[in-house]
Amino acid sequence: MSVARPGDHGVGQVPTLRLEGPVIVGDDEVRDGAWVVGGAVTFDEPDAPVDQVLEGVTVPGLVDVHCHVGLDSGGAVEPELALKQALVDRDAGTLLIRDAGSPTDTRFLDGVVEAPRLIRAGRFIARPKRYLRYYAREIEVDDLPRVMAEEARKGDGWVKIIADWIDRDAGDLAPLWPAEVLAEGIAAAHDAGARVTAHTFATESIDPLLDGGIDCLEHGTGMTPAHMERAAAEGIPVVPTMLQIDNFAGFAAQGRARFPAYATRMDAMYERRATHARELWEAGVPLLLGTDAGGTLGHGLLPLEAAALVDAGIPASDVVAMATWRARAFLGVPALEEGASADLVVYARDPREDITELARPQHVVLRGARVAP
Ligand SMILES: [Zn+2]
């Protein structure tokens, strides 16, 4: 594996490329071809000879905003496996990942030029017995603000908390944190320079999260029309994680005997999953794509998540935007602009016309070098 130097696009090591065909740079913004010189995108024809022509429809590298690199069903993993997970995502065209919490220190990946770019959220935060074992940093309620500030300093500008999970005493989903503590925690993370996202299945968590100044919502299955209207007005994105919601029927079945109220609620959310996603979109809530890979779901599934959103009734052109330039803008990472790192994917046909095209990348280019297929 080779190690990247900061700011090094690999001048002299990466070929000069010609991107022949439409280059989709934003909503309704398509350029006619581009070049990659010294690892960076340019729209000015270079003097240097072109080493390779990549023909097709070019989009910015895909973005998975809810992906756990360095996590499997037993918790933390060895560095070799974390790298392997990241490379599976990369080969599917995912070139930027916001990790949604990981128990493994994946900082070493920053030095691996072959690895997709990773924006970390530190370790996710939960309470003992109120989340999956081995995954989270488990703390007492009163420690939330201090721990959120600590995790903010370990990550790359994001903190991830578990906002609700089954409460076995109540036999149903319930918030982990009182609203005041939650608000204090979010403020502490903001003071430490990080944004905050939250795992939430339940309806009861949404108002306290929005009141507390949350920056993004994961899953969001419990959102009511009023919550959707509010998230839309405040510009708070939701990551619907369709592939994960597909598992809700299984969670319900496992819990039915001991926790019937929980099972009924999970089943209802499972039945409504496609309608719910479409309602979020119709309400104007900004949506982003997350596979929730790691733990139970595999890596490299972003094209399937995109297809699931289209199946739910969201136009493919919007889903492509969510998966690329809109996610990049939200995370503060350039898409295909003059001088930006050439992190891009070339398809034979326009994925805005047929979303299944995302599953068939012709060329995956990372930092100006063709890395897959
Ligand atoms: Zn997750």
Side-chain angles (χ1 to χ4, degrees):
M1 103 189 36
S2 39
V3 170
R5 284 162 295 177
D8 181 7
H9 288 301
V11 180
Q13 301 155 34
V14 292
T16 296
L17 307 176
R18 164 70 181 158
L19 304 170
E20 189 89 48
V23 176
I24 308 170
V25 299
D27 287 294
D28 303 318
E29 211 190 332
V30 180
R31 305 286 296 255
D32 180 18
W35 291 265
V36 175
V37 180
V41 174
T42 181
F43 296 98
D44 296 327
E45 185 167 358
D47 295 332
V50 169
D51 298 303
Q52 201 182 354
V53 177
L54 306 183
E55 225 175 304
V57 180
T58 300
V59 305
L62 308 185
V63 187
D64 189 344
V65 305
H66 188 135
C67 179
H68 304 277
V69 173
L71 173 73
D72 73 7
S73 52
V77 305
E78 293 299 316
E80 291 73 22
L81 182 54
L83 174 61
K84 209 187 238 179
Q85 292 171 339
L87 295 183
V88 171
D89 288 314
R90 179 200 71 179
D91 290 353
T94 297
L95 301 183
L96 175 62
I97 293 170
R98 184 192 62 181
D99 122 0
S102 179
T104 300
D105 182 358
T106 54
R107 184 64 60 189
F108 75 97
L109 287 171
D110 288 349
V112 180
V113 285
E114 293 90 346
R117 294 175 198 279
L118 189 54
I119 295 174
R120 281 170 207 73
R123 188 160 185 177
F124 29 23
I125 303 167
R127 283 170 51 198
K129 301 199 169 99
R130 291 299 305 279
Y131 191 49
L132 297 163
R133 276 177 82 191
Y134 311 123
Y135 285 20
R137 183 168 170 189
E138 297 178 355
I139 62 164
E140 298 307 321
V141 167
D142 291 344
D143 292 331
L144 186 68
R146 177 179 59 79
V147 171
M148 285 180 75
E150 281 175 18
E151 293 299 324
R153 286 187 280 270
K154 288 189 218 157
D156 300 319
W158 282 92
V159 172
K160 164 81 179 292
I161 58 169
I162 307 304
D164 53 71
W165 193 253
I166 187 168
D167 178 339
R168 287 172 175 77
D169 296 331
D172 199 355
L173 290 172
L176 268 64
W177 322 98
E180 325 76 72
V181 178
L182 192 58
E184 265 177 59
I186 294 170
H190 286 169
D191 286 347
R195 289 187 276 177
V196 182
T197 194
H199 162 112
T200 171
F201 292 164
T203 302
E204 297 87 330
S205 299
I206 306 295
D207 277 326
L209 286 167
L210 291 171
D211 290 344
I214 195 77
D215 301 289
C216 188
L217 296 167
E218 308 300 313
H219 318 298
T221 43
M223 293 174 76
T224 63
H227 292 142
M228 294 179 191
E229 203 176 301
R230 195 172 163 198
E234 295 174 15
I236 308 297
V238 173
V239 186
T241 65
M242 303 302 282
L243 302 177
Q244 182 63 280
I245 310 309
D246 281 345
N247 294 327
F248 275 26
F251 300 157
Q254 281 167 25
R256 178 148 351 259
R258 284 176 64 202
F259 311 116
Y262 165 81
T264 301
R265 172 140 54 159
M266 296 302 279
D267 259 342
M269 294 193 295
Y270 174 77
E271 294 299 333
R272 284 197 93 254
R273 64 200 187 287
T275 307
H276 188 77
R278 195 173 58 252
E279 284 175 357
L280 284 164
W281 177 75
E282 283 168 354
V285 178
L287 300 181
L288 298 171
L289 274 71
T291 60
D292 213 353
T296 50
L297 282 152
H299 287 262
L301 301 179
L302 203 73
L304 289 183
E305 177 68 18
L309 288 164
V310 172
D311 285 345
I314 302 171
S317 55
D318 247 21
V319 173
V320 170
M322 295 165 190
T324 56
W325 55 87
R326 285 191 207 154
R328 286 174 175 270
F330 178 65
L331 294 173
V333 178
L336 295 175
E337 55 193 60
E338 183 70 29
S341 176
D343 296 359
L344 54 90
V345 190
V346 183
Y347 300 96
R349 280 172 292 274
D350 192 335
R352 296 174 305 172
E353 280 153 27
D354 175 6
I355 201 72
T356 67
E357 195 61 21
L358 289 183
R360 296 181 291 277
Q362 302 295 304
H363 309 283
V364 178
V365 175
L366 175 63
R367 300 180 172 91
R370 189 178 175 284
V371 292

